[in-house]
Amino acid sequence: MNRIIILPVLVPFATALIMLLFPRRIAAHRLLGVLSTLLLSVVSAILLNSVLSGGILSLQAGGWAAPFGITMVVDTLSCIMLTMSSLIGLTTAIYSIGSVDEKQEHNFYHPLIQLLLMGINGAFLTGDIFNLYVWFEVMLISSFVLLVLEGKPEQFEGAIKYVTLNLLSSAIFLAAVGILYGMAGTLNMADLAMRLPLLEHRELLSVVAVLFLITFGIKAAVFPLFFWLPASYHTPHIAVSAIFAGLLTKVGVYAIIRFFTTIFTLESTPLIHQILLWVSAFTMATGVLGAVAQYDLRKLLSFHIISQIGYMIFAVAIQSPLAIAGGLLYIVHNIVAKTNLFYLSGIIRLISGSWNLRQIGGLYATYPLFGLLFLVPALALAGIPPLSGFWAKLTVIRAGLEAQEWLAVGVALLVSMLTLYSMIKIWNEAFLKDDPRGEDTGNRGQEYHALSSGKKIALIAPVVILGMLTILSGIWFEPLFVLADRASLELLDASIYSKAVTGGMP
Amino acid sequence: MNSVILATASRYLLTLILMFSVFMLLRGHNEPGGGFVGGLVAAAAFALYFIANGLDAARSILRVDPLRAAVLGLLLSFLSTVPSLVSGQPFMTALWIDTGIASIGKVGTPLLFDFGVYFLVLGITLTIIFALAEEECSL
């Protein structure tokens, strides 16, 4: 059973290799991309099933025992994240068939997406901090290339900010890893969780924790380190934006959750959790305020990513089992809804010929069903019952009330209103108001109608799949909550995790 | 660069440096060396040949597209992990076969992995060098 732990990394790697061996077979690339992500989904389902029935799985690469070798660990949280990354990988692979043009495909678009998935999955799997750094780099290098694949000037402008900030973050990461290793003598997460409470010289513990917080804060785009995100996320191709929006920042959030529950607990670094609380409130507020002011669809949605990250960080800051469960639900809901919104905005662009809300209008009159498809993730993001976002938000806010963090809860509620406002703004501008170009809509939708029906299906299918998931996870919310609850209990009791990896000995 | 001496010498040096790079690759398991260094040395050999004889000559003597070589390297490294997966050992466990021949000794998956690294480094380095050279030629 343990052997399949490595498959979420190996499958995309092998797929990318096969694609690179036949660099000119674009049709095969598309097919392989879908097949590989389908296989990934199956593997994550099997992993989820076996973790739920048999507890945490671990694998020692090369047979080197735990604190010395590289450990791969699959607990419930990893399983949830792996499932999400396979899902987004699958929908993006389908969506790319419809939206990405052949020039980019010849420039290794499909292999790069596979390598990106490999980095993301590796980060979710690893149980070793230095190995986490390596997976971050794998993910980042693929994302650098994907960001500038079309070679437009604004992409390079965005990429410079993106690359600089991420390299800085990697440097801080390495420094923190070095200090931590000097203090504790180990980088295995399970081993660290056992050793840190027993550490004699704890002076630097808070410093290291803050360094890790900055590193992952940059990757997760929290206040005040988020500014690379709105500067770069609207520049690449929309399919790339969608997978970035869905998964990349969430890897940062995943790392924050992993580090500040299992390794740096509330008792060992109380300062960090105070900082996290303030950071989360400001992240929620600044993100949504930025979104409200935007008229470019992609920029608006990019600012929303930041605002939503705030809710997840808020959950980590509170640290009660309910809060962590709520935070995980929020991640799941947000990955699905956010990616969906980016897919939809790509289709809006094809139909109306513009990203700018001022120049779009009247979509509801011509495409009423499409309007409904948009409403599902938009209302879910704002937290309207019975969609998935409502339950996630409810759980987080309930946990906040129990922890008596009135101020942050107030901010969270206010931000919800503003989120709803900005979603209504898209609805009003793009769907309800009359087309600003008046009756003369000669070339409206030309780009969309010029596509073959196969490509149209490839564009719409991912939106329908993710929309259905948003609705279904809202209606059958309970199994999801049980899953998140289980993950949060594992996270807060580090001994379960450590026992599964090292056998519980410090 | 038009230097008869360098052009003539580079032909002999290419063979010598390539042999040295294989030597570096093979001694790497227990001593300084290995796939990475070996690949770099091999890339240096081709880079020298390119400086002496020009880009087209270097490409033709390499025969394969450098990017292909890199992919081949990745593939070899990937294949070196397959035996551990198939035999039910933890991922990337080193498996050895004793050939019984004194001069060869034991052969195993780490050697295959190192060969993969060798070709990967060779391919990527030359891809970069050739890409930069093309840019310079077109200016």
Side-chain angles (χ1 to χ4, degrees), chain A residues 3 6-7 10 13-14 17-18 20-23 59-63 108, chain B residues 67-68 71 74-75 78 81 84-94:
Chain A
R3 262 188 285 169
I6 198 71
L7 282 184
L10 276 193
F13 179 54
L17 269 181
I18 298 171
L20 286 171
L21 278 179
F22 305 100
L59 172 126
Q60 319 292 349
F108 307 116
Chain B
L67 202 59
R68 271 282 162 105
V71 176
L74 273 179
L75 194 70
F78 175 70
T81 67
S84 65
L85 278 179
V86 176
S87 66
Q89 311 263 14
F91 181 64
M92 285 192 90
T93 304

Side-chain angles (χ1 to χ4, degrees), chain A residues 29 70-71 112 227 334 344-345 390 399 444-445 462 464:
Chain A
H29 283 193
I70 293 170
T71 313
L112 282 166
F227 43 87
N334 190 251
L344 280 160
S345 70
F390 168 71
R444 156 194 279 286
V464 176

Side-chain angles (χ1 to χ4, degrees), chain A residues 140 143-144 147 158-166 228 232 248:
Chain A
L140 285 174
S143 72
F144 294 160
L147 202 58
I160 285 173
K161 294 165 190 162
Y162 180 81
V163 171
T164 315
L165 255 289
N166 275 299
W228 58 271
S232 62
L248 285 200

Side-chain angles (χ1 to χ4, degrees), chain A residues 43 64 101 183 231 235 404 419 441:
Chain A
V43 169
W64 299 96
D101 58 46
M183 276 165 55
T235 57
Q404 302 185 336
T419 311
T441 53

